[in-house]
């Protein structure tokens, strides 16, 4: 198998005998994954032994060292840890409450990299906005001494997670826009689709090297409560406290290879991220992604070395990525490999939980090719349909994509992802082992096909671009 | 209508014309309830304006005063507030964490009336037990200096809430049993059916005037995490902190009547409790019960005064009832009425959330009577079936039942009740208005039938007892 890298060509040709063998191998590794794989073991161990793994924390470092050992124990080669500097962030203690004659405690969480409040907290009346546009329409100075409270609405549950974008923008830009208008703090309804007392944290944007205001997410029921009080004509005065602080540290990427038998310099990069938010244990975001890609690569190796090299990267510090691609593992990886990026034939990441894959996204130019048809045939028994072209990747492989590496996606059902994302509720019990296993089977089968083919996804993309 | 209290007799007789009018009235008030009622308004206002209403707190007192005004505004008569003394409890600050090389924060909540830890917290290794029986099998002195951690298992979701009993016993008796064996603190898996990071608080038992140990509930995922660490052979060391404290205060019952037109001295008592646990806003436990019974009584009054008096009691301090019936509103009510308890023909309470009623429970001796057949006929269009006899009532009307008052139950679907019960997640959004409305319709129809009948539930019960 390994010695016969095969065509699976971009031009429509009859399926060759070599192709048939490759297809059979992909089907076999797919079915083997369904019989058993290490994904649940990995995700159980890493979430239980290390708990939350914030970027740059001791827990992330220890978990990365443990994961490197885990890769070695499961047959990966050239396992290595590459560190990079990072500004870490610790939540410390925090609280939020409604003051006045009828005080009520609120369930809130500081947004990632939020600055602390003064030790006694911030006490101020809120000004309520029903979205980022409303906040941006407020005149300069109109929030002086006030807390900006923005309710961007509840996310609707969607298979593809759409709806997160606008709320993620509110989280990124809200503190800055509130500060511009004189606010002393920023509070938002969580970017999430659940109705639990679970605030969703997440990073917010630096301006001149720091987040401009103490910034918090409220759980959806708490945001509802404030909206109702405002609707009843009450003046809502809050006290917000946070001892959050930053510190200098390092994070790291853990890298391991299944070295290709005949074309080892052609690298397929699979990955996910090691860090998690601090509130949960990062089971679905994103120990699951590591579990799925590690389990798939191990199954491929056990079946027989592929022609190309299959690399798994457990990226450090995905959650706190700023637009510069500094301080996150994906950016560090691309800087470290330098010109070696040219050897990367394709990259994929698994970072959308552990629920089932419903669609395949190949790089532009690959749609309708023999390779695509064969991949679709191998994935169809898993309930996976052809999907639109994959263009950008996520935070981990975005830097690779921007450096010219084609990316693929095995798109997961995100219907319940934003119920859990960035909350204390992101714990092991939320993973459905059967659905995670379907992911492993899909990754193993697709990567087997890619790794034993000579398909040039860059050339295919370039050919398509030339046609336009 | 009001002047003609009718037979609905206990002996099987043909339905009289009078009965037919009573049945029509019950059907009309049932259907009127489905068209509109005040339940959602009441529950929205009380949970939003006052938030959590712990027994004896300022919030409970203020909410009771507001509820009295609400009753007056909606046509209740003789509205009054009766206070009684109470030892209140405040949670203060609390935290729980796993110590050691790989520290992890846990989501925990002190059990109600738990004593505080020393200011620096308690640090000790745990001894893990898989239930109350296992704890009770531990030898004397075997827990000296240790934290007893008891995982009594996850509640299975059940329509009737069965499964709560054993875990409620663990919560009541666990601290005492752990203390007897030398433990320095008690930690239990929450008595709940959910898998969220939501600890379920709840009261635990006094011994010699206080809870013997600092006592906590862990959320289910946190209990799972500890069980896994124990299973991996790790020594689990915890730090527990709590500043909980008790204080002297008063609670109160809010009482209002729809005075009967022809037999005002015959009292039907409907009720629910005003207090809630401190973590949530007590929407399903039990603002909903107040909403349902108030809304039903108001609809009956608007339709035309009933023959008998319909009384609604919003009991104070249900959640912290100790076996003595002191310090809870139900006990205070019975002591206050003294011999007047003889005038109480029947009592019912709504304290199991706001989901639909699925079964009717009449007092013993009423099964198979004309009254039962008529009640079943009126309730059947709401999807309510005949159920077993109601024997004991809950905490609020238990003291009335023990004083000889027959009790009835409109049994609610509790399938999701213990997902939310005693957690921060007990908030308004968890109420399904359509299901709550079905409750209002059931209460209005059944109470209309009872209030316009002369059925003697005590005599029926006595007759059945004499037969045995």
């Amino acid at each position: 198998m390994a010695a016969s890298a095969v065509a699976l060509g971009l031009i429509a040709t009859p399926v060759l005998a070599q192709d048939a063998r490759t297809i059979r191998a992909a089907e076999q590794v797919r079915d083997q994954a369904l019989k058993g794989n290490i994904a649940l073991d990995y995700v159980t161990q890493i979430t239980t032994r290390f708990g939350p793994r914030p970027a740059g924390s001791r827990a992330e470092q220890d978990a990365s060292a443990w994961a490197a050992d885990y890769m070695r124990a499961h047959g990966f080669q050239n396992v290595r840890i590459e560190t990079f500097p990072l500004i870490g962030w610790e939540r410390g203690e925090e609280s939020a409450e409604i003051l006045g004659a009828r005080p009520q405690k609120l369930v809130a969480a500081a947004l990632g990299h939020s600055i602390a409040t003064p030790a006694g907290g911030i006490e101020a009346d809120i000004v309520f906005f029903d979205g980022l546009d409303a906040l941006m329409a407020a005149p300069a100075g109109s929030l002086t001494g006030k807390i900006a409270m923005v309710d961007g609405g509840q996310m609707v549950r969607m298979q593809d997670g759409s709806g997160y974008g606008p709320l993620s923008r509110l989280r990124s830009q809200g503190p800055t826009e509130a500060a511009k208008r004189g606010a002393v703090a920023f509070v938002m309804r969580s970017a999430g689709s659940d109705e639990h007392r679970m605030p969703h944290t997440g990073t917010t944007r630096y301006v001149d090297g720091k987040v401009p205001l103490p910034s918090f997410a409220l759980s959806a029921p708490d945001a509802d409560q404030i909206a109702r009080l405002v609707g009843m004509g009450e003046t809502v005065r809050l006290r917000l406290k946070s001892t959050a602080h930053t510190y200098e540290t390092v994070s790291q990427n853990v890298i391991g290879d299944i070295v290709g038998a005949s074309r080892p310099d052609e690298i397929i990069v699979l990955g996910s991220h090691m860090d998690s938010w601090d509130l949960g244990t990062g089971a679905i975001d994103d120990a699951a992604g590591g579990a799925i890609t590690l389990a798939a690569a191990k199954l491929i190796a056990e079946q027989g070395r592929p022609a190309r090299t299959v690399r798994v990267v457990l990226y450090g510090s995905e959650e706190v990525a700023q637009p510069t691609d500094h301080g996150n593992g994906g950016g560090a990886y691309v800087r470290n490999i330098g010109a070696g990026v040219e050897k990367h034939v394709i990259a994929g990441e698994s970072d959308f939980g552990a629920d089932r894959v419903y669609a395949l996204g190949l790089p532009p130019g690959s749609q309708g090719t023999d390779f695509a048809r064969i991949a679709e045939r191998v994935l169809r028994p898993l309930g996976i349909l052809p999907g639109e072209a994959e263009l950008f990747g996520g935070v981990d492989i975005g830097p690779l994509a921007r450096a010219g590496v084609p990316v693929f996606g095995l798109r997961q059902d995100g219907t319940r992802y934003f119920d859990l994302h960035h909350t204390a509720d992101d714990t092991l019990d939320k993973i459905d082992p059967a659905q995670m296993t379907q992911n492993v089977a899909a990754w193993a089968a697709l990567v087997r096909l890619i790794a034993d083919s000579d398909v040039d996804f860059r050339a295919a993309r370039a050919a398509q671009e030339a046609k336009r």
Side-chain angles (χ1 to χ4, degrees), chain A:
Chain A
M1 191 69 235
S4 65
V6 289
L8 302 179
L10 295 167
I11 15 167
T13 51
V15 172
L16 306 173
Q18 283 173 309
D19 289 347
R21 278 202 302 278
T22 299
I23 293 166
R24 201 159 54 242
E27 289 170 341
Q28 282 169 350
V29 78
R30 176 195 70 198
D31 296 343
Q32 191 62 36
L34 296 177
K35 287 180 197 152
N37 63 74
I38 59 170
L40 189 60
D41 175 68
Y42 174 86
V43 76
T44 300
Q45 290 212 49
I46 205 155
T47 59
T48 302
R49 293 185 184 282
F50 304 98
R53 302 173 301 282
S57 68
R58 168 81 186 275
E60 192 204 28
Q61 293 164 2
D62 287 354
S64 295
W66 174 88
D69 287 342
Y70 192 91
M71 288 170 109
R72 287 184 196 104
H74 285 94
F76 285 79
Q77 298 155 286
N78 307 326
V79 176
R80 56 211 184 270
I81 294 179
E82 296 181 350
T83 63
F84 55 91
L86 175 76
I87 302 298
W89 180 79
E90 280 191 347
R91 177 174 304 280
E93 304 298 317
E94 61 194 9
S95 64
E97 58 198 309
I98 298 173
L99 300 176
R102 292 164 178 175
Q104 297 183 31
K105 289 190 181 180
L106 297 170
V107 183
L111 298 181
H113 283 240
S114 170
I115 57 172
T117 63
I122 288 172
E123 290 187 23
D125 294 345
I126 67 161
V127 179
F128 186 91
F129 299 97
D130 64 3
L132 182 60
D133 289 348
L135 172 63
M136 292 178 72
S142 62
L143 300 181
T144 302
K146 306 287 188 185
I147 295 170
M149 158 75 198
V150 187
D151 186 337
Q154 187 83 347
M155 272 185 73
V156 176
R157 292 183 181 93
M158 292 281 191
Q159 187 181 40
D160 65 356
S162 54
Y164 181 60
L167 295 176
S168 169
R169 271 194 296 286
L170 168 58
R171 198 180 67 214
S172 291
Q173 298 173 24
T176 305
E177 297 300 332
K180 276 187 201 167
R181 290 161 178 81
V184 293
F186 172 80
V187 176
M188 66 179 281
R189 183 195 188 88
S190 282
S193 51
D194 63 300
E195 270 283 350
H196 292 296
R197 298 292 288 286
M198 295 278 174
H200 297 238
T201 189
T203 204
T204 181
R205 195 163 292 170
Y206 278 30
V207 177
D208 300 332
K210 66 170 192 170
V211 172
L213 288 179
S215 300
F216 297 82
L218 285 176
S219 87
D222 292 87
D224 289 343
Q225 184 82 329
I226 288 181
R228 279 191 300 269
L229 286 167
V230 169
M232 289 174 179
E234 304 272 340
T235 297
V236 178
R237 188 169 181 80
L238 301 184
R239 181 189 292 133
L240 302 169
K241 285 189 184 179
S242 163
T243 65
H245 62 278
T246 55
Y247 65 105
E248 292 188 8
T249 184
V250 295
S251 181
Q252 57 283 310
N253 294 328
V254 184
I255 306 168
D257 295 337
I258 307 297
V259 177
S262 56
R263 288 188 288 174
D265 286 349
E266 297 184 16
I267 298 168
I268 301 158
V269 196
L270 319 183
S272 62
H273 61 88
M274 173 57 75
D275 63 316
S276 77
W277 279 105
D278 58 330
L279 298 172
T281 61
I284 66 153
D285 187 15
D286 181 25
I292 291 163
T293 50
L294 283 172
K298 175 181 155 71
L299 284 163
I300 290 169
E302 285 175 342
Q303 189 187 30
R305 284 172 69 188
R308 289 164 160 172
T309 290
V310 175
R311 173 170 296 170
V312 175
V313 184
L314 303 172
Y315 298 94
S317 185
E318 185 263 3
E319 293 291 0
V320 297
Q322 294 284 328
T324 58
D325 278 344
H326 278 80
N328 60 309
Y333 179 81
V334 169
R335 282 191 296 280
N336 279 343
I337 54 172
V341 75
E342 298 299 328
K343 303 288 183 67
H344 289 58
V345 299
I346 199 165
E349 71 182 278
S350 174
D351 187 15
F352 205 47
D355 281 352
R356 63 185 289 278
V357 175
Y358 67 90
L360 166 67
L362 290 173
S366 297
Q367 285 65 35
T369 62
D370 280 356
F371 178 82
R373 276 191 289 276
I374 288 170
E376 289 157 21
R377 173 176 148 184
V378 171
L379 294 176
R380 178 168 281 273
L382 298 172
I384 299 169
L385 293 167
E388 291 181 9
E390 186 79 16
L391 300 175
F392 307 114
V395 172
D396 286 325
I397 63 170
L400 282 166
R402 289 189 284 280
V405 180
V407 294
F408 70 91
L410 284 162
R411 299 196 183 119
Q412 294 171 282
D413 182 349
T415 306
R416 67 186 185 118
Y417 187 68
F418 290 104
D419 283 13
L420 306 168
H421 179 250
H422 295 189
T423 74
D425 233 2
D426 179 2
T427 47
L428 179 61
D429 51 284
K430 306 311 180 305
I431 290 180
D432 173 353
Q435 293 195 67
M436 185 163 66
T437 283
Q438 185 256 17
N439 276 261
V440 175
W443 280 81
L446 180 66
V447 173
R448 181 91 239 175
L449 284 179
I450 296 172
D452 286 337
S453 83
D454 60 2
V455 175
D456 184 342
F457 295 100
R458 290 177 194 254
R461 185 177 61 188
Q464 195 197 38
E465 279 168 6
K467 272 192 270 179
R468 287 194 307 197

